[in-house]
Amino acid sequence: TDTHWDFTLKEMAWLSADFQSERKRQVSQAKKLSNAILQYHSSLESKKARERAAFEAKVRRLAGKMGRSVSKGYWKKMERVVEYKQRLEADGKKRREMDRR
């Protein structure tokens, strides 16, 4: 036969165990949430780093294309201009030599 005090002690023990399990659950949830937040921020940083690296690679490719374009286009044209001028000067010298004779 349980007395009122026995029921009170049983309920106190149950309530204590309930509070402990609730506290344990809350700590577990907090750990899970903090780990999820850390993972999110680390993945965000790595995503930004990948995007930055991709952008730098794109800029490098574009700079390479522009460099090749300049070397193939502009400087080739300048070589032709220089060759043309040299040819004109050589022809002029030949004419002067021919005129002297």
Side-chain angles (χ1 to χ4, degrees):
T1 68
D2 288 339
T3 62
H4 177 69
W5 187 248
D6 291 332
F7 285 114
T8 304
L9 289 177
K10 284 180 183 177
E11 187 163 343
M12 285 173 57
W14 172 81
L15 197 56
S16 174
D18 187 44
F19 271 89
Q20 284 179 344
S21 68
E22 182 65 20
R23 177 74 177 147
K24 189 176 177 181
R25 186 190 66 78
Q26 286 177 349
V27 168
S28 173
Q29 286 295 99
K31 283 182 183 178
K32 286 180 184 177
L33 182 62
S34 67
N35 286 336
I37 291 170
L38 286 173
Q39 184 179 1
Y40 169 78
H41 284 290
S42 67
S43 67
L44 186 66
E45 288 174 8
S46 63
K47 180 181 177 184
K48 286 182 181 179
R50 281 193 306 273
E51 288 174 351
R52 198 169 31 251
F55 177 74
E56 288 175 4
K58 183 178 178 181
V59 167
R60 285 179 182 264
R61 282 193 302 273
L62 180 61
K65 285 180 184 177
M66 290 177 71
R68 285 188 294 279
S69 171
V70 167
S71 68
K72 287 181 181 178
Y74 177 77
W75 289 112
K76 291 290 181 183
K77 288 179 184 176
M78 288 299 111
E79 285 178 10
R80 282 192 232 137
V81 168
V82 169
E83 288 173 3
Y84 178 73
K85 278 188 163 184
Q86 289 173 347
R87 201 174 328 120
L88 283 180
E89 288 175 5
D91 289 346
K93 282 183 183 178
K94 284 182 185 177
R95 280 196 196 117
R96 283 192 293 268
E97 289 296 320
M98 296 287 260
D99 288 344
R100 286 185 189 168
R101 293 183 184 175

